Amino acid sequence: MTKQQIVQYGDPALRKVTSRVIKFDKSLRKLVEDMFETMYASEGVGLAAPQIGVSKRVLVVDVDYASKRYLDEKTNKEVASYSPLVLINPIIIQKEGQIISQEGCLSFPNVVIDVLRHKKIIVKYQDLLGKERKLAAEDDLLCRCIQHEIDHLDGKLFVDKRADEASMKKALEEAGFAGVNSPASPLMIG
Ligand code: CO
């Protein structure tokens, strides 16, 4: 596994619509391993392939790693809890409601803003072997994270779904992103 450089806001790679995965081969497994390595090393809860410069419909998520720890009985030490998920060619097939909550993104260091998302989703995707699967998520970090990462696959960024324009601009400025490829898309959810 190799930790990769994370593409930062302003790089056109983050605005590209990615290609579907056709081959479920060794190079796909290597990509996914690198994505997990990069995500865990950066203490993120999700990462999409374009964030390491690969224009494919692949995302990884682990929302437990950030928040859950278990106690190892042998060493009596707290150990990270892993719940890795790989979604390939994901599509949201059902969505319901709207909810505003705080979000960050590894491609925008030190930017946290209020973002509008669906409250409930059902996603259809393929696993690493190409098998079709479905996942339902509601009202939690997983639900929000999957929507955020799927957006990356379509060249959309969380600033496009900001709940408040003025506070987003302020957060971008404070993090040193003032004037960088400022988001042109109007507020949208869908
Ligand atoms: Co992101």
Side-chain angles (χ1 to χ4, degrees):
M1 290 199 282
T2 319
K3 187 190 169 214
Q4 305 288 330
Q5 191 89 28
I6 295 179
V7 175
Q8 300 291 289
Y9 182 46
D11 190 315
L14 291 178
R15 287 299 190 183
K16 278 213 291 207
V17 177
T18 56
S19 315
R20 279 180 61 83
V21 171
I22 313 278
K23 283 189 192 164
F24 292 78
D25 57 5
K26 207 174 154 186
S27 72
L28 178 66
R29 289 195 292 278
K30 168 82 170 84
L31 169 65
V32 167
E33 282 176 7
D34 286 355
M35 286 172 67
F36 274 119
E37 176 86 15
T38 308
M39 181 187 81
Y40 287 130
S42 314
E43 298 186 342
V45 292
L47 190 77
Q51 291 182 282
I52 57 165
V54 177
S55 194
K56 286 188 180 163
R57 304 192 78 76
V58 179
L59 62 88
V60 297
V61 174
D62 189 341
V63 291
D64 285 343
Y65 177 73
S67 54
K68 288 188 191 162
R69 295 283 184 274
Y70 67 91
L71 204 60
D72 186 294
E73 284 174 13
K74 281 183 191 151
T75 61
N76 208 31
K77 280 186 180 158
E78 283 193 6
V79 182
S81 172
Y82 291 93
S83 308
L85 261 177
V86 182
L87 278 69
I88 297 165
N89 300 327
I91 299 168
I92 296 176
I93 54 170
Q94 270 185 54
K95 49 198 177 189
E96 256 180 65
Q98 295 193 353
I99 187 167
I100 291 173
S101 190
Q102 286 201 321
E103 245 172 70
C105 177
L106 292 175
S107 295
F108 293 70
N110 306 314
V111 177
V112 176
I113 57 168
D114 282 338
V115 177
L116 188 59
R117 296 288 179 195
H118 298 295
K119 243 171 120 63
K120 185 179 176 181
I121 56 167
I122 298 178
V123 191
K124 193 175 87 172
Y125 65 99
Q126 284 167 281
D127 67 15
L128 258 179
L129 301 173
K131 189 175 183 297
E132 288 232 357
R133 292 179 181 274
K134 277 182 195 165
L135 185 155
E138 184 173 0
D139 249 345
D140 59 7
L141 184 57
L142 179 65
C143 183
R144 176 161 290 272
C145 187
I146 289 174
Q147 293 177 71
H148 178 118
E149 303 309 336
I150 289 179
D151 273 355
H152 273 299
L153 306 182
D154 293 318
K156 293 180 197 160
L157 299 170
F158 75 148
V159 286
D160 302 336
K161 293 184 176 171
R162 62 201 174 265
D164 182 87
E165 178 94 22
S167 51
M168 175 200 70
K169 280 189 174 158
K170 191 166 172 263
L172 285 175
E173 263 174 37
E174 284 173 1
F177 287 108
V180 181
N181 184 31
S182 71
S185 346
L187 176 63
M188 53 185 174
I189 183 160

